[in-house]
Each structure stands twice: as C-alpha cells, then as structure tokens.
Amino acid sequence: MASSSLTKSKTSIIHHLKSTKFPLLYFTNHTSSIRNSHNLLHTISSPPLPVPRCATSSRINPFIVFSRCFESVCVGRRLHSAASASNDVRQFPAEAPSQQVLDFPGGKVKFTPKLAFTSGSTEERVPCYRVLDDSGQPIIDSDSLKISKELAVKMYSDMVTLEVMDTIFYEAQRQGRISFYATTMGEEAINIASAAALHNDDFVFPQYREPGVLLWRGFPLQEFAHQCFGNKYDNGKGRQMPIHYGSRKHNYFTVASTVATQIPHAVGAAYSLKMEKQDSCVITYFGDGGSSTADFHAAVNFAAVLEVPVIFFCRNNGWAISTPINEQLRSDGIVVRGKAYGVPSIRIDGNDALAIYSAVHKARKMAIEEQTPVLIEALTYRTGHHSTSDDSTKYRSIDEIEQWRGGQNPVKRFRKWMESKGWWSDEAESEHHCSTRKQLSQAIQAAEQVEKPTIADMFNDVYDVLPKNLMEQEAFIRKTIKKHTQDYPSDVPL
Amino acid sequence: MASIFQGVGAATALSSSTSFDTKKFHLSSRRSFSVRRASFFVVRSDGAKMDSGLNRIGGRADQLVTNAVATKADTPAASTASKPGHELLLFEALREGLEEEMERDAHVCVVGEDVGHYGGSYKVTKGLADKYGDLRVLDTPIAENSFTGMGIGAAMCGLRPIIEGMNMGFLLLAFNQISNNCGMLHYTSGGQFKIPVVIRGPGGVGRQLGAEHSQRLESYFQSIPGIQMVACSTPYNAKGLMKAAIRSDNPVILFEHVLLYNLKERIPDEEYVLNLEEAEMVRPGEHVTILTYSRMRYHVMQAAKTLVNKGYDPEVIDIRSLKPFDLYTIGNSIKKTHRVLIVEECMRTGGIGASLTAAITENFHDYLDAPIVCLSSQDVPTPYAGTLEEWTVVQPPQIVAAVEQLCR
C-alpha cells in the first residue's frame, strides 16, 4: 500500500533498528495472500511498494509487512494462521539487553522511544485498480482476466437492460403506477460485472441498489415487475416495498429496508458455508453510508476473526442520500478499514466493468481457497437520485451529475471497449434497447393487471403455521370487510 | 397480547354449562397451532391428549399434573414421575437439552460471548466446545447486533443457531436485528427464507447486579410480530422448552432467570419435548387463579403455603408461553375460579402482566367476579442496594395480601 506517512514511520523504525544494530524484524500479513495479491494493489503504471532507502543495507530485507504471532493465544483453528504467520516470521535471536520487546497477546510488540503518532490521514491515497481507461481502451499491461465474447456480450447487454429497466420503472413511478422506485444509475458495471464473476451458488446479500445481480442470474423482467406492483405473483407476496426483491432460487436474499443489517447476515451465511465445507462464498453489498453503521464494523471484525469466505463489496458512490462522502467519513474511503480489521482489501474503479470482473473473480478465489473475508471498495457515482422520494439537484450541482453521466459512465466505457473488439454495434444497441423497452412495457402492463395477494397473505408466514390469535384477527378483518364492503378497496381479493 | 375474537369456526366440545353467544370468547381447537407435525413425544401439562399428528401419547401424559397436586408447594408437579429419572440443576438441564439437540441435528450450533471454552457465563454450554469444536460452539466478539445478525444469516442458510445473550439486557443492542430482521424476514421474503433461531439468556432481577443487568426484556420484545417467547422455571421445563425451541422453525426467545440456574430437580431419563405454546398447571385450586412465570412462580408457591394454611385454595399456573399466551388453560381456570391475580417481575407499565390483563379482560370479562389484580415491579431502574432491590420485586406477603383482598 503506497502511503508516505507509513513510509516515514517505517523509515524511522529502520533508522532506529540500524542505530541499535538490531536485526530486521519481519512483519508478514496474517495471510500469505496479501503478498501474492500485491499485483492487484497496484497497476503496473504505479511503482511497487516503496522501499525505504536505508533498507538497502545488507542486514535489512526490503520487505516490511505486518505480523501476528498467535503463540500466546493459539486455540484450535487459529493455529492455521499462526502457523502460516510463523513460517514467515524470522525468529528473534537473543535480544540485545537494551532492546526490549513486549510479548503481548496477539504477537510481540517492539518498543520505541520515539513519541510519534501515526497520522490519521495519508498524503497519497490508496490507488485504484482499473483496466480500461476513460475512453474504454485497455491500459497496457494491466492485470486482468480475459473474457470471452459471449460473456462480454451478456455483460454489456445486461447492463443496458438494467439501464432501461431503471428508466422505465422510474417513469412508471412518476406516472403513479408504482409507489416507489430506486435506480441503479451509474452503478450498472458494479451490478453486472460483480455478478458475472460469481457463481450461481454464491449467496448474495444485497442492500437495495443491486437488482442487476438478480438480473444477471436470470430473474425475469416480468418478476421484477410483479414485485414492484406487489401482486400475487410476487415472491414476497406483496409484503414489501418495490425494489425489495428476493429469490431463494437465485440465492439472492430478500432486501430489507434497514441499512447494513445484511452485512452480519452475510457473515453468518459464510459461517454456515464454512461449517458445511461448501465450495462457494458469500457477497454482500452496501454503500459508503452503510459503512458507517455499527453492523458493518462489527461484522467485518467478526468475519476476520472467524476466517469465513465473504466478500464485502462497498459501492462508494459519493452520496448517502444528501450526505457527501467527506461528511460521512474522514478516513481514506472505506478500503483502509480492511487493514484496520485485518481483512485484505482493494480499491477498484467501480465504473470499469473489466476491473470489477477481475477483482471479484480474484476475491472469490481468495475467499474460498484461503477462507478469508475480502473488502472491495468500488469508486463510482450515483448519477440518479437516491430514490423517487428524492431530488438530488437540491444538494448537488447538475454539472456534477452530468459530468459523471458523460465520460465516466460505466455503460458507455464498456461499450467503447466492446465496439473496439468488434463485439457490438449501433444496430445491436438500438435493437437491444427496443426489445428491452418493449418487454418491460409489456411486463408492467401485465403486472398491473394481476390481482393483489389475498387477505390470507397478510397473516401467513408470520409464523410457520398460523397461530390462533392470527386466525382470529384474520376472521375479524374478513367479517369487517364483508360488512363494510364500500369502505375497503374492491380490487383486493378476499 | 390482545387477541380479537369473534365467534367463528367450529366450536369444540367444552363444558356446556355456559352456552355461548357469538360475542363470547370461544375456545377453538385444542391445538392452538394447527397442523404441526410432531414426531416426538410432546407432553401437555394438564394431561390431556394431543390431537393427531403425534405418534406416542401415552402413560406419561396421563400421569401428569392433575394428579400430582404439589404436596410440597414448590415441587413442579410434572416431576413426580413414576420412573426414577436423574437429578440435576437447571443450568445442567438446559445443557442436557442443548446437547441432545446438537447430537441429533448437525445443523444446531451455538453462538455467543464466552460460550466456547469458557463454557458460558452460567455454564450452560460447558463442555460443548470440547465435544463439538469451537466452530460449532462459537465465541464471538462483543457485538450483539452483529452476532445476532450472524445467527439470522446462518439460519437463513440452513443452520439452526442458538444465540446466547450473556445477559438478556445485552440483547437490547440486537433489537434492530431481532425486530426488523429476525421477526420479519420470513414474512417479507414471502416465506422463502426461514429463521429457526433460538435466542436465549438469563434475565430478570438477580442479586445486586445493578439496573443494567436486571432487565426484563420480555416487556420490550412482546410486541414484535413473528417471534415466540417462552420462559422456563424448572429444570424439567427448561430442558423441554429448550428442545422445543430448537426444533421450532420460528424464531423463539427463551427467557431464563439468573437466580434459577441452581435449582435442583429430578427429571425423566427418557427424551421429552414440551409444547412451546402451553402453560403449566402448578397447583390446581378453586378460589383464585394466580398467573405467573419464571422466578415469581416460587414466590407464588411460597405464598400459596401461607394461603393454604389460612384456608384458601389458590390455583397456580405458570404461563410459560409469553407470546402467545395459552388462553385456553388460562380461560379454563378463570371459568372455574372467577378471580385472577397476576404476579410478574416486569415493570408495571407495558409488561407481560399488562398485556395479560388486557387479554383476559377482553376474552373472559364475563367470568370475572372481581377486577384483575396485577402485582409487578415498580417503574424504576432496579437499585443496587440489597434492601431496595428486594422491595422492587414482588414478595410472598404481598401476594398473600392480594389474594385475601381478592377473595373477600
């Protein structure tokens, strides 16, 4: 991680070491994965991990990373990471009497006579991994996976479908046909590319701005419409607001309105995968705002302790309703929190579909093979309003929105790349747009006609079996409706 | 819990001494939760047979409570079994139930602070980590909202976690997860994801634990739709309720009491599971119905001794099921005695007693000869000083006085 204040503190340690003729202390990451994934943390265009100049001294190895020796607290499964850590840590020879080390639970800690606070901010921010440049051209020598034409075409066309779906449903809300909607505008690449890098049996715990993941997995447009209209064909039986999709079949866990409560759920799901030794992982999505919640912090910490295969995917889109990122946090975004909790992390360009695909693919591999959580911060921009209840021009400039809708637009960038490979064309575009619009209009019209769920569905599923008090309450409401039919909506079946 | 009723549905055979009109509460099928498949042996505390779906109803049930009127006021009737059984303490009974279920189903796991090698703060999980490994008996960091959420997520994926709150009061930190997710996700997902968690832990007023550790969480949780709440009070019902809660597909909150963990009792050797929605007849009587649960059961039984000496015949029911109330058992009792006293540890405002009073008034008003009396703790944070703490909890003399007043 490039960080000059970190370099400074490393430098001071090195100086100190040199002056006291103390052999180098190796620090290794608690999982060997970080060393392997150094490539991921930098694009080739930026220099590798900076080495303090004094480290060219023969006794000092240029590598400085961080260690945790668990000897004092080794229990059961934790031995695994202790073993891997201890393989990397060079044992101390007999300590010089002037050099003392505290053998503290969690690992040995060196003392320093320097009264130096590590700065809360760094001059250089964590770099952002990207594969395509602003004009959709691949960056030379970037680490990225090759994808097939078939996959690329599906990715691109699903991104367009998502865009069109958002536009049409948003319009439907404005026309009063559905009560509420929230778009994914600007985050299409995150939705589709991350889904493309996962397998269908990976569990997905979404916040609410990730319907694209469900779309990728084959959830029909008609069913999206059914949920938004809350009719009897809705999986959720009309019990939730629009965009609160959920499908067990697609391993997509029902959206709850509460922010970030899905993050501990995801850790629990990953725990169940670990217990049952499954070959899949869990992914959970949340925004920059969601990363401020207690649930986020506790869950990430917990996942690190448990060593479970979960990908924490933060969509840093710059805004939490009207709260801009600099009023949300003062750290270098969310990626640095990974380090704080001992979780390998990466910052990626959230408007670059190929970067997202490669990063999630690799993260998934890490999570499963090494049984570790991974934190991904994707930098993107929410070009739409927070929801249909919001008018974002009230708190941000239209210019800013237009700028992100223009050049940085993830769909446009990916399209440029597709066209440069000859895999897409204007005809394909307009044909796809047309057919998707048509499908969606039909879906909406059809969903609008379908009956709403019956009264019975108000009481079912509160428990596994209907208890007596709910039976009575249902009977009461039925009787009341029968008696006062004119006071109740006529289109709700009994 | 107020239940709105109308006279609908088929009436079952009840004593026909009072005929109903449609306004009266009618007691429908004995099975308050219909169509529940039970392949295990479910015991009803009043000895009646369960309806279809059960395989073995037998001698055990018939020998229960109605015969075994407590000669010793605080002996739980159900324990006077014909088989020898084995003696253990309440926390051991909980552990036994937990262990049997973990043995039976590999999906059952335990999650909580210090439950692993430490064995739990009240030793309910002692030895389990050694036996099942520290992944299945999982120690968590101090983040109740997180590990409760984790349990919910794991449950949605097929595990059956038991989430231990070191003290029930700490579960206030998990309220969001319990209310908005645990209680709701089965419903809002359209039945796609179920959440068979058990949330358990000690609560109630202990010995000078201070206000924050003397909470009665049942008051706060009772409104949450989608959850069930039960309170255990004896080793026998602790084990039975623990097993039932684990087997239930609904989220169940099992309330234990800090001061009851060392109660000793002889419980049967053979496997048994109790009914979650059922109250326990502790002492049948004729003059007054005393409804109570958890620790207050013992204060009531102590008061009952005095009352018997004074010539009263109280009927004591340990309601056990806090959500939903077993209005069937309670109703039958009220129809017999016509007087109700509720003794609880909750605070006056918004407690279980308050809800129970409302439910009884609504359903059995015509059977009451006197207003319902509810004895509860005051609306104050529990003080630390021992003397004050004692006065915050309902004591036997108050119960005796209340019964005398009620039966005047």
Side-chain angles (χ1 to χ4, degrees):
Chain A
M1 222 158 77
S3 148
S4 60
S5 71
L6 191 56
T7 310
K8 286 201 193 83
S9 53
K10 281 187 280 192
T11 312
S12 68
I13 292 174
I14 298 292
H15 279 309
H16 178 68
L17 288 174
K18 274 194 79 173
S19 63
T20 57
K21 297 191 184 7
F22 192 77
L24 177 75
L25 193 65
Y26 274 97
F27 299 93
T28 52
N29 193 284
H30 72 290
T31 63
S32 52
S33 59
I34 277 296
R35 282 198 289 166
N36 298 337
S37 62
H38 269 320
N39 328 339
L40 262 175
L41 297 177
H42 310 276
T43 60
I44 298 302
S45 51
S46 78
L49 190 67
V51 166
R53 233 177 315 194
C54 56
T56 52
S57 150
S58 55
R59 270 190 303 183
I60 297 172
N61 185 292
F63 249 121
I64 299 180
V65 281
F66 293 97
S67 117
R68 276 198 325 222
C69 301
F70 285 106
E71 288 109 309
S72 48
V73 290
C74 275
V75 175
R77 58 192 153 77
R78 295 191 200 113
L79 278 167
H80 167 72
S81 32
S84 68
S86 59
N87 289 340
D88 299 322
V89 171
R90 186 178 292 174
Q91 297 305 314
F92 299 116
E95 295 152 22
S98 58
Q99 200 57 36
Q100 284 179 319
V101 164
L102 183 61
D103 199 349
F104 199 77
K108 288 186 160 71
V109 178
K110 256 192 96 335
F111 287 117
T112 169
K114 291 267 179 288
L115 177 58
F117 290 84
T118 308
S119 168
S121 62
T122 59
E123 276 159 34
E124 226 181 283
R125 299 188 64 173
V126 171
C128 178
Y129 168 68
R130 76 163 19 178
V131 171
L132 296 178
D133 64 21
D134 281 348
S135 34
Q137 296 316 306
I139 296 171
I140 314 280
D141 285 342
S142 64
D143 296 325
S144 74
L145 293 169
K146 296 275 170 285
I147 61 174
S148 68
K149 176 178 175 186
E150 205 189 319
L151 184 66
V153 168
K154 184 176 193 312
M155 274 170 66
Y156 180 75
S157 46
D158 275 4
M159 280 166 72
V160 173
T161 308
L162 182 57
E163 248 191 344
V164 177
M165 184 172 100
D166 274 348
T167 312
I168 295 201
F169 277 126
Y170 192 88
E171 284 169 14
Q173 194 278 341
R174 283 293 181 248
Q175 292 163 12
R177 292 161 93 183
I178 55 177
S179 65
F180 175 83
Y181 194 72
T183 65
T184 320
M185 304 284 203
E187 301 181 44
E188 293 87 354
I190 286 177
N191 268 245
I192 302 296
S194 65
L198 297 167
H199 292 197
N200 283 340
D201 54 359
D202 294 328
F203 293 136
V204 177
F205 284 83
Q207 178 69 80
Y208 47 66
R209 229 180 273 288
E210 305 89 12
V213 179
L214 200 49
L215 183 69
W216 174 270
R217 288 187 173 186
F219 197 65
L221 291 176
Q222 183 64 71
E223 290 207 43
F224 280 109
H226 285 321
Q227 198 283 330
C228 286
F229 280 90
N231 63 34
K232 73 177 184 193
Y233 293 137
D234 169 25
N235 272 350
K237 299 185 192 163
R239 292 161 182 161
Q240 261 291 15
M241 290 173 75
I243 70 148
H244 287 60
Y245 312 110
S247 173
R248 171 148 225 142
K249 202 168 79 169
H250 299 94
N251 289 317
Y252 189 91
F253 286 71
T254 307
V255 174
S257 308
T258 45
V259 173
T261 50
Q262 74 281 3
I263 308 179
H265 296 172
V267 176
Y271 168 72
S272 81
L273 291 180
K274 189 181 171 99
M275 282 264 277
E276 312 204 304
K277 299 193 174 58
Q278 298 289 336
D279 204 14
S280 49
C281 74
V282 179
I283 188 167
T284 180
Y285 298 86
F286 48 93
D288 40 293
S291 76
S292 292
T293 61
D295 274 353
F296 163 79
H297 292 277
V300 176
N301 181 46
F302 203 3
V305 171
L306 266 184
E307 296 170 11
V308 285
V310 54
I311 301 173
F312 296 107
F313 197 108
C314 177
R315 299 176 288 97
N316 183 348
N317 61 19
W319 293 92
I321 309 190
S322 69
T323 307
I325 193 72
N326 66 320
E327 283 173 28
Q328 188 69 248
L329 45 82
R330 285 299 160 89
S331 48
D332 174 14
I334 288 97
V335 63
V336 290
R337 295 175 180 181
K339 184 123 160 223
Y341 293 116
V343 172
S345 49
I346 186 172
R347 166 174 281 158
I348 65 177
D349 180 348
N351 290 342
D352 178 347
L354 293 181
I356 297 168
Y357 180 83
S358 297
V360 174
H361 192 274
K362 173 96 190 197
R364 180 181 187 274
K365 194 156 180 284
M366 268 167 70
I368 296 176
E369 286 173 11
E370 297 165 37
Q371 293 287 294
T372 173
V374 182
L375 174 65
I376 299 178
E377 179 188 9
L379 300 182
T380 180
Y381 190 83
R382 190 196 80 208
T383 55
H385 305 302
H386 169 70
S387 73
T388 48
S389 313
D390 174 49
D391 173 12
S392 60
T393 56
K394 286 197 157 48
Y395 49 79
R396 57 184 186 176
S397 75
I398 300 188
D399 288 337
E400 182 187 299
I401 305 174
E402 285 309 315
Q403 185 211 319
W404 283 91
R405 243 187 224 151
Q408 281 292 325
N409 182 314
V411 183
K412 288 199 177 107
R413 272 168 76 192
F414 195 48
R415 180 179 170 177
K416 288 198 184 123
W417 180 76
M418 292 281 287
E419 284 177 343
S420 73
K421 300 211 49 127
W423 290 347
W424 198 256
S425 63
D426 283 342
E427 294 85 51
E429 179 85 9
S430 62
E431 200 257 297
H432 186 60
H433 255 272
C434 256
S435 96
T436 311
R437 275 198 87 96
K438 198 157 151 219
Q439 268 185 287
L440 276 162
S441 301
Q442 283 169 350
I444 290 182
Q445 270 171 24
E448 216 167 10
Q449 308 299 329
V450 173
E451 271 188 336
K452 301 298 182 208
T454 67
I455 290 283
D457 281 329
M458 189 162 121
F459 297 94
N460 286 334
D461 297 327
V462 178
Y463 295 99
D464 56 346
V465 150
L466 207 62
K468 194 153 64 123
N469 64 316
L470 289 186
M471 275 194 239
E472 287 161 7
Q473 291 173 17
E474 184 182 340
F476 180 70
I477 191 79
R478 279 182 193 277
K479 188 157 176 232
T480 311
I481 293 174
K482 227 173 181 169
K483 200 167 161 191
H484 306 279
T485 339
Q486 72 283 1
D487 293 327
Y488 285 88
S490 52
D491 61 346
V492 180
L494 288 180
Chain B
M1 182 182 85
S3 55
I4 303 164
F5 61 93
Q6 294 291 307
V8 293
T12 51
L14 280 177
S15 81
S16 49
S17 53
T18 46
S19 59
F20 342 89
D21 45 84
T22 51
K23 293 243 167 45
K24 286 211 205 285
F25 176 79
H26 93 94
L27 301 164
S28 58
S29 163
R30 289 279 313 217
R31 275 175 308 147
S32 53
F33 278 67
S34 57
V35 200
R36 201 181 281 290
R37 219 122 24 100
S39 57
F40 42 82
F41 183 28
V42 177
V43 167
R44 285 192 69 90
S45 64
D46 58 359
K49 289 191 197 285
M50 284 288 287
D51 281 324
S52 63
L54 298 178
N55 295 338
R56 291 152 34 211
I57 310 296
R60 176 107 196 95
D62 296 336
Q63 280 166 22
L64 280 179
V65 181
T66 40
N67 304 332
V69 173
T71 45
K72 287 177 286 184
D74 50 4
T75 305
S79 70
T80 56
S82 55
K83 298 229 171 74
H86 56 286
E87 235 181 24
L88 42 52
L89 305 178
L90 196 144
F91 77 90
E92 291 168 343
L94 287 167
R95 191 197 322 141
E96 208 176 78
L98 184 45
E99 199 169 341
E100 282 175 18
E101 292 304 301
M102 286 182 81
E103 197 62 48
R104 177 180 174 267
D105 182 355
H107 294 108
V108 178
C109 54
V110 182
V111 170
E113 291 158 6
D114 301 306
V115 296
H117 293 276
Y118 189 70
S121 305
Y122 292 91
K123 301 297 171 235
V124 173
T125 53
K126 187 168 172 198
L128 295 180
D130 293 327
K131 191 169 172 191
Y132 296 106
D134 52 9
L135 194 60
R136 209 173 152 195
V137 184
L138 185 68
D139 279 330
T140 70
I142 306 178
E144 278 75 9
N145 62 329
S146 179
F147 66 72
T148 306
M150 210 199 98
I152 292 167
M156 289 199 280
C157 294
L159 292 186
R160 304 186 81 92
I162 291 127
I163 301 165
E164 173 172 314
M166 190 186 278
N167 183 288
M168 280 309 225
F170 305 166
L171 293 181
L172 288 170
L173 293 160
F175 212 113
N176 185 27
Q177 287 284 354
I178 295 174
S179 168
N180 275 325
N181 293 315
C182 183
M184 280 193 197
L185 275 167
H186 184 248
Y187 183 75
T188 57
S189 70
Q192 292 181 89
F193 300 101
K194 64 177 188 187
I195 308 182
V197 295
V198 176
I199 298 172
R200 51 157 291 269
V205 177
R207 295 251 181 273
Q208 299 191 269
L209 295 177
E212 301 94 334
H213 291 68
S214 309
Q215 297 266 38
R216 278 77 81 194
L217 267 278
E218 56 269 25
S219 310
Y220 307 144
F221 286 144
Q222 61 177 323
S223 242
I224 301 174
I227 57 157
Q228 276 188 257
M229 304 200 304
V230 287
C232 63
S233 50
T234 69
Y236 178 76
N237 64 34
K239 179 176 173 185
L241 290 175
M242 170 73 94
K243 288 168 75 84
I246 294 171
R247 293 186 194 194
S248 168
D249 275 349
N250 295 316
V252 178
I253 306 185
L254 170 58
F255 289 89
E256 301 151 16
H257 197 285
V258 276
L259 294 180
L260 298 184
Y261 280 127
N262 288 323
L263 276 183
K264 191 187 280 198
E265 190 186 349
R266 184 166 287 276
I267 66 168
D269 288 327
E270 65 271 17
E271 193 185 23
Y272 67 95
V273 181
L274 293 176
N275 187 325
L276 284 177
E277 295 98 28
E278 207 189 283
E280 188 178 316
M281 178 66 71
V282 183
R283 182 194 188 281
E286 295 290 325
H287 292 163
V288 60
T289 298
I290 307 183
L291 302 173
T292 182
Y293 68 96
S294 193
R295 181 189 168 207
M296 288 297 106
R297 167 188 175 138
Y298 296 94
H299 283 207
V300 167
M301 291 311 291
Q302 204 181 323
K305 269 195 261 194
T306 316
L307 287 168
V308 164
N309 288 340
K310 291 190 177 198
Y312 294 96
D313 186 21
E315 176 152 294
V316 180
I317 295 178
D318 180 340
I319 62 173
R320 253 171 35 187
S321 176
L322 305 180
K323 183 178 169 87
F325 294 132
D326 180 1
L327 290 176
Y328 182 79
T329 308
I330 295 172
N332 277 352
S333 176
I334 295 173
K335 289 178 187 204
K336 188 170 54 165
T337 67
H338 310 295
R339 287 178 167 79
V340 180
L341 171 65
I342 300 172
V343 179
E344 59 163 352
E345 214 176 293
C346 285
M347 299 189 200
R348 190 108 197 98
T349 306
I352 296 289
S355 297
L356 193 50
T357 305
I360 294 172
T361 310
E362 238 175 36
N363 291 302
F364 306 118
H365 184 258
D366 287 339
Y367 294 98
L368 293 171
D369 284 348
I372 301 171
V373 176
C374 181
L375 297 178
S376 17
S377 298
Q378 304 86 343
D379 286 321
V380 299
T382 309
Y384 165 79
T387 41
L388 294 179
E389 186 185 68
E390 209 178 287
W391 278 105
T392 206
V393 164
V394 177
Q395 300 294 339
Q398 290 168 272
I399 302 172
V400 172
V403 169
E404 287 178 328
Q405 175 85 346
L406 207 46
C407 293
R408 234 164 359 124

